[in-house]
Amino acid sequence: MKIAICVNHFHPCVGGAEKVAKTIADYLSQSHEIFIFTRKLSKNRNLQEFKYPVFEYRQGEIVNFEKKLNSLNVDVVFIYSDVFDFFRQIITKKSSYKIIAALCGANWLYSHRNFVNVIYQNAKNINSLICHSIYDRDYRLCENTRLIEKTIIIPNGVNIEEFNNNTLKKSDLDKENINKQWILNVSNFFPGKGQEHIFEIISKLPNTEEIVYIQICNDIDFEIGTLLENKWRLKAEKLKPKIKIKLIKNASREKVIAYFKQSNVFVFSSEKEVAPLVLLESMTASLPWVSTNIGNSEELKGGIKISTMKDSRFHSVFNNRIYNSFSDAIPKLWNNPLIGEEGRKQVEEKFDWKKILPQYKSLIESCV
């Protein structure tokens, strides 16, 4: 079977969506012919490292995209996220291939509400819609009578063995701060990731001299990332006399996993999410977490969920009450490591990629 996977950003870009798309592609390539369609990077992508062809396009090149896609005679087009540049063109045209789309929060659709009716009118063109949980707003959109029968829930997952095989110790990561409490956040500087809220949260904690705030991120291929990072750095400079802050960029996967395993609490201050991998990674590391009720956090164990008001975009609204709730939760978590074990157990039962990937394979194979 020939399968085209369409996603705006792909490896070597590093983020939740990129990880998921590559994990699915690698798995499906074991038994099917896979083609990736993704935006061209500003720097060269090493196309030789992939097991399958990766076709790069530029935004707006719909004619070239369609020409290449049609020339491949694919059986299935799998769109990962409705923000894919040509999502709306694909689903509004009759085609010879089957269409499966993972909405990933339906961010584009909720920003262009006039197009939602177009989706309903063209529901016959879509074979299946994937949501990662019943808790996010994309599932609400799919509850429409024309879509609900086409909607499948497939959660995000984690490679448990990556965590089991990691043997790095605290001393391998930071010898000077072994005896301090490590507060970890792992997120790139995208709009809405909310790293700036962590400064307000940790400044309210007692004994801040015993704390290290560790921010892990990667360089991203957008100017907005640099802008947000610079704003974060300015705030960090103001707090450095009181709180030790470490920014770790472009760390190896081995070290990122080690930080999950060796930290004391994971603080997730993102304002918008669908099914954040970093919470699953925290759970896999038995690391207690605190987060607002974003994405599918409602169903996750191993941490504390803080209810927030949502704005018109369904983003969490942070205020002084929320900051206080976070700062109250953090000491409870690092003084109760058994909470983290609850998260680990749930990952083993439900969120292991070994159990999830066959669900994608079965869905795709059943539509042809």
Side-chain angles (χ1 to χ4, degrees):
M1 184 184 298
K2 293 182 177 182
I3 304 167
I5 298 178
C6 301
V7 57
N8 274 358
H9 308 294
F10 197 71
H11 186 82
C13 295
V14 180
E18 292 85 350
K19 288 181 185 176
V20 172
K22 187 173 185 300
T23 301
I24 294 171
D26 288 348
Y27 178 78
L28 293 176
S29 69
Q30 297 174 22
S31 51
H32 297 290
E33 193 172 358
I34 301 299
F35 308 94
I36 304 295
F37 285 86
T38 189
R39 284 184 190 174
K40 185 173 180 59
L41 293 175
S42 59
K43 54 187 177 181
N44 289 332
R45 191 192 311 264
N46 181 10
L47 300 178
Q48 304 303 316
E49 65 179 298
F50 299 104
K51 307 171 185 177
Y52 32 74
V54 175
F55 300 110
E56 298 180 307
Y57 62 83
R58 298 187 187 277
Q59 288 177 266
E61 291 184 341
I62 179 64
V63 174
N64 291 337
F65 165 78
E66 290 183 330
K67 183 178 180 181
K68 185 62 182 179
L69 178 62
N70 292 331
S71 72
L72 295 173
N73 295 317
V74 298
D75 301 293
V76 177
V77 170
F78 174 39
I79 307 169
Y80 195 76
S81 177
D82 73 327
V83 300
F84 175 67
D85 291 304
F86 310 126
F87 166 77
R88 48 205 173 278
Q89 289 90 346
I90 291 175
I91 65 171
T92 54
K93 290 183 178 181
K94 291 184 178 180
S95 57
S96 59
Y97 47 76
K98 303 294 185 180
I99 298 172
I100 296 175
L103 295 182
C104 300
N107 292 317
W108 191 89
L109 288 171
Y110 274 96
S111 298
H112 302 79
R113 294 301 294 266
N114 60 312
F115 197 81
V116 173
N117 285 332
V118 178
I119 293 286
Y120 296 152
Q121 294 164 7
N122 288 273
K124 60 183 180 298
N125 295 339
I126 304 171
N127 188 267
S128 298
L129 289 166
I130 297 172
C131 295
H132 290 315
S133 78
I134 62 172
Y135 295 95
D136 204 58
R137 62 183 186 173
D138 55 353
Y139 185 75
R140 297 181 185 183
L141 184 150
C142 291
E143 287 182 309
N144 176 276
T145 53
R146 299 186 187 183
L147 300 181
I148 191 62
E149 291 185 357
K150 299 172 180 284
T151 302
I152 309 294
I153 306 298
I154 302 181
N156 271 341
V158 182
N159 181 352
I160 294 178
E161 291 181 1
E162 271 191 315
F163 287 77
N164 292 348
N165 296 334
N166 190 290
T167 58
L168 292 180
K169 305 297 182 184
K170 229 173 182 178
S171 57
D172 298 318
L173 302 172
D174 187 350
K175 293 180 180 179
E176 295 180 3
N177 296 294
I178 292 177
N179 297 320
K180 293 183 182 293
Q181 297 284 348
W182 291 12
I183 292 177
L184 178 67
N185 179 275
V186 179
S187 58
N188 294 329
F189 286 99
F190 281 116
K193 288 299 182 180
Q195 296 94 341
E196 69 278 7
H197 297 307
I198 298 178
F199 297 125
E200 298 289 343
I201 293 166
I202 59 180
S203 64
K204 295 177 178 292
L205 290 171
N207 304 320
T208 53
E209 68 276 3
E210 299 300 323
I211 294 168
V212 180
Y213 162 31
I214 301 167
Q215 178 65 55
I216 295 180
C217 68
N218 289 285
D219 287 318
I220 58 176
D221 202 39
F222 306 102
E223 289 184 7
I224 187 64
T226 301
L227 177 63
L228 291 172
E229 181 183 330
N230 288 338
K231 287 184 177 180
W232 181 91
R233 285 178 180 271
L234 287 174
K235 289 189 175 184
E237 285 298 322
K238 294 179 181 179
L239 277 180
K240 273 187 177 179
K242 297 180 181 179
I243 301 169
K244 187 169 182 61
I245 301 169
K246 292 184 62 176
L247 176 63
I248 300 172
K249 298 186 67 177
N250 306 315
S252 66
R253 181 65 178 159
E254 180 186 27
K255 283 197 173 181
V256 173
I257 292 172
Y259 273 106
F260 271 112
K261 294 185 70 172
Q262 300 303 324
S263 294
N264 299 96
V265 63
F266 184 75
V267 176
F268 197 47
S269 54
S270 182
E271 299 167 1
K272 60 171 185 174
E273 294 291 335
V274 180
L277 286 180
V278 288
L279 283 184
L280 296 182
E281 290 172 336
S282 180
M283 292 160 62
T284 309
S286 300
L287 174 63
W289 53 267
V290 57
S291 169
T292 64
N293 54 333
I294 49 173
N296 69 328
S297 62
E298 293 287 350
E299 67 176 322
L300 302 182
K301 298 179 181 179
I304 295 176
K305 296 174 286 290
I306 296 172
S307 296
T308 63
M309 296 290 292
K310 307 293 183 182
D311 64 17
S312 60
R313 302 167 299 169
F314 209 66
H315 293 183
S316 289
V317 177
F318 280 74
N319 53 33
N320 200 51
R321 179 185 70 83
I322 302 304
Y323 295 142
N324 287 333
S325 297
F326 266 80
S327 61
D328 289 343
I330 290 170
K332 295 177 184 177
L333 290 171
W334 68 44
N335 290 324
N336 190 355
L338 291 179
I339 293 179
E341 295 301 324
E342 295 175 4
R344 168 68 187 213
K345 183 178 179 182
Q346 188 183 25
V347 168
E348 293 174 352
E349 293 174 348
K350 183 176 180 179
F351 299 109
D352 186 348
W353 270 126
K354 288 183 178 180
K355 296 181 179 181
I356 295 168
L357 288 170
Q359 297 177 46
Y360 281 101
K361 186 172 183 287
S362 176
L363 175 64
I364 290 171
E365 290 179 345
S366 67
C367 74
V368 177

